[in-house]
Amino acid sequence: MKWKEQLLSLAPYKPGRPIESVKKEYGLEKVVKLASNENPFGTSPKVVAALQSALSSFAIYPDGYATTLRTAVAEFLKMDEEQLIFGNGADNLIQIISRAFLEPGKNTVMASPSFSQYKHNAIIDGAEIREIPLIDGEHDLDAMLEAIDENTAVVWVCSPNNPTGVYITKEKITSFLNKVPKETVVVIDDAYHDYVVADDFYDAVEFVNEYNNLIVLRTFSKIYGIASLRVGYGVAHQDIIRVLEPAREPFNVNTLGQIAAVAALNDQGYVNECRRKNREGMAQFEQFCAEHQLHYFPSQANFILIDFGTSGDEVFQYLLQKGYIVRSGNALGYTTSVRVTVGSEEENNGVIDAMKQYLQEVSVSKN
């Protein structure tokens, strides 16, 4: 077989363990998944109602232009419809951008650790990867600027960053955008922007008309709670969208996803309530960390990365046996940590109790 050589040593993305699999393996009646940064409160009742009244025939292809969704998002953002591109989740848009801009002889700059799919797709497309270490969980924007040269095609910025949850301030991001060469594309991955409550954050979409080399990615998989239907979108200057569109697969956003996304977008009251509950839940974890003197990065997302000072895999496995699926930091660049999605108050109390049990058992074993 004449495979691309880079595929032979590249591992596929590993999602969190499925609930039913964990139940079966450990004989558990109840399992709580807090590994993939999903919305623990589900989606808006308006989404359920919209899907229940959806088309009864599924033999027709989706609207490849996502006409109704496009109009709804454009009106919500106060942008032109031609400035939007839609994908099967933001992951699909990352793939499209990589396909459109990256190739052998080009390089791409990104923070490390950050979302794995930037690097993953760049490897497949044969581009040189320049990873800039985080400083205290935050992008080192000055070092990222220094890494850019005439062959840099794409710079990836994830804010709040996954897996640390640390955000970039408006002052810092605008200073950065002003210094990036105009021929280099900057992608701001805005997946968690709906959760941010910091006063000095920004609305990245507002930058699009000022910076013609900027693409902003957003998703309906997080606070909108329709991760299973896979809908994401990008916002950029019309010239960028025109170049990206041929790299997008036809019919890449399914019909039900389009219907659900419109309904979800139209219930901002639900979004605001989820944001409020998320901050309350985050406070539960911050209090736990303070009580047990555990380091964590202050997160503006819907997850928290907690350093237990021991093997992240060990903590992950202990919690798994207790019925809580979290994410080991071993695969995220923080080997002694676990990343925990903020759940409901009850779910948070449950996993925190399990973490307390772990700490107690570790303490006893050391004495």
Side-chain angles (χ1 to χ4, degrees), residues 22 26 28 314-325:
V22 175
Y26 295 101
L28 298 169
E314 180 181 299
V315 181
F316 162 81
Q317 191 62 40
Y318 182 91
L319 296 177
L320 192 67
Q321 294 171 358
K322 297 289 185 180
Y324 292 94
I325 309 172

Side-chain angles (χ1 to χ4, degrees), residues 93-326:
L93 293 165
I94 293 168
Q95 183 183 53
I96 290 169
I97 293 167
S98 182
R99 177 176 290 180
F101 290 103
L102 299 181
E103 61 185 351
K106 301 284 179 64
N107 69 71
T108 180
V109 176
M110 63 196 70
S112 178
S114 193
F115 186 46
S116 63
Q117 293 305 289
Y118 314 144
K119 180 177 181 179
H120 184 92
N121 283 285
I123 291 173
I124 293 174
D125 288 313
E128 176 194 348
I129 297 159
R130 298 181 177 179
E131 295 181 280
I132 308 302
L134 299 174
I135 298 178
D136 294 328
E138 182 178 348
H139 286 55
D140 185 349
L141 296 177
D142 290 336
M144 291 177 72
L145 284 169
E146 291 178 6
I148 297 172
D149 62 21
E150 66 275 7
N151 295 317
T152 304
V154 182
V155 178
W156 305 92
V157 176
C158 184
S159 175
N161 184 51
N162 181 8
T164 61
V166 178
Y167 73 103
I168 301 170
T169 66
K170 182 175 182 178
E171 181 181 2
K172 289 181 179 180
I173 195 67
T174 53
S175 175
F176 176 76
L177 291 172
N178 287 330
K179 296 173 184 175
V180 174
K182 302 306 179 187
E183 62 273 14
T184 297
V185 170
V186 178
V187 179
I188 296 181
D189 188 341
D190 233 6
Y192 299 97
H193 84 282
D194 288 300
Y195 285 106
V196 180
V197 297
D199 292 334
D200 54 354
F201 194 55
Y202 51 84
D203 183 349
V205 169
E206 293 181 355
F207 300 150
V208 167
N209 289 329
E210 183 176 354
Y211 301 97
N212 292 347
N213 60 333
L214 175 64
I215 304 172
V216 177
L217 301 183
R218 289 187 174 176
T219 180
F220 284 92
S221 295
K222 303 305 179 185
I223 206 166
Y224 287 103
I226 55 171
S228 65
L229 294 175
R230 312 303 296 125
V231 185
Y233 63 92
V235 190
H237 189 275
Q238 292 93 323
D239 291 345
I240 289 182
I241 298 298
R242 278 194 290 269
V243 175
L244 288 178
E245 276 291 348
R248 178 181 65 83
E249 314 93 283
F251 316 118
N252 64 328
V253 182
N254 69 83
T255 299
L256 294 180
Q258 293 184 38
I259 293 170
V262 172
L265 192 67
N266 287 332
D267 194 351
Q268 289 301 306
Y270 184 81
V271 171
N272 294 336
E273 182 67 7
C274 289
R275 182 186 303 112
R276 183 188 65 79
K277 290 179 179 177
N278 180 71
R279 293 319 303 177
E280 290 177 350
M282 186 68 72
Q284 292 178 260
F285 287 102
E286 291 171 345
Q287 181 179 351
F288 160 73
C289 291
E291 289 175 355
H292 295 273
Q293 298 181 316
L294 299 176
H295 177 269
Y296 67 95
F297 293 110
S299 174
Q300 285 285 319
N302 68 332
F303 57 83
I304 184 169
L305 187 71
I306 303 174
D307 188 350
F308 283 82
T310 186
S311 166
D313 284 348
E314 180 181 299
V315 181
F316 162 81
Q317 191 62 40
Y318 182 91
L319 296 177
L320 192 67
Q321 294 171 358
K322 297 289 185 180
Y324 292 94
I325 309 172
V326 299

Side-chain angles (χ1 to χ4, degrees), residues 44-60:
S44 162
K46 291 185 178 181
V47 172
V48 178
L51 290 175
Q52 288 174 340
S53 60
L55 299 173
S56 58
S57 173
F58 300 103
I60 298 174

Side-chain angles (χ1 to χ4, degrees), residues 6 43 45 79 126 188 199 201 295 327 341:
Q6 54 266 40
T43 189
M79 304 293 285
I188 296 181
D199 292 334
F201 194 55
H295 177 269
R327 189 78 162 175
T341 303

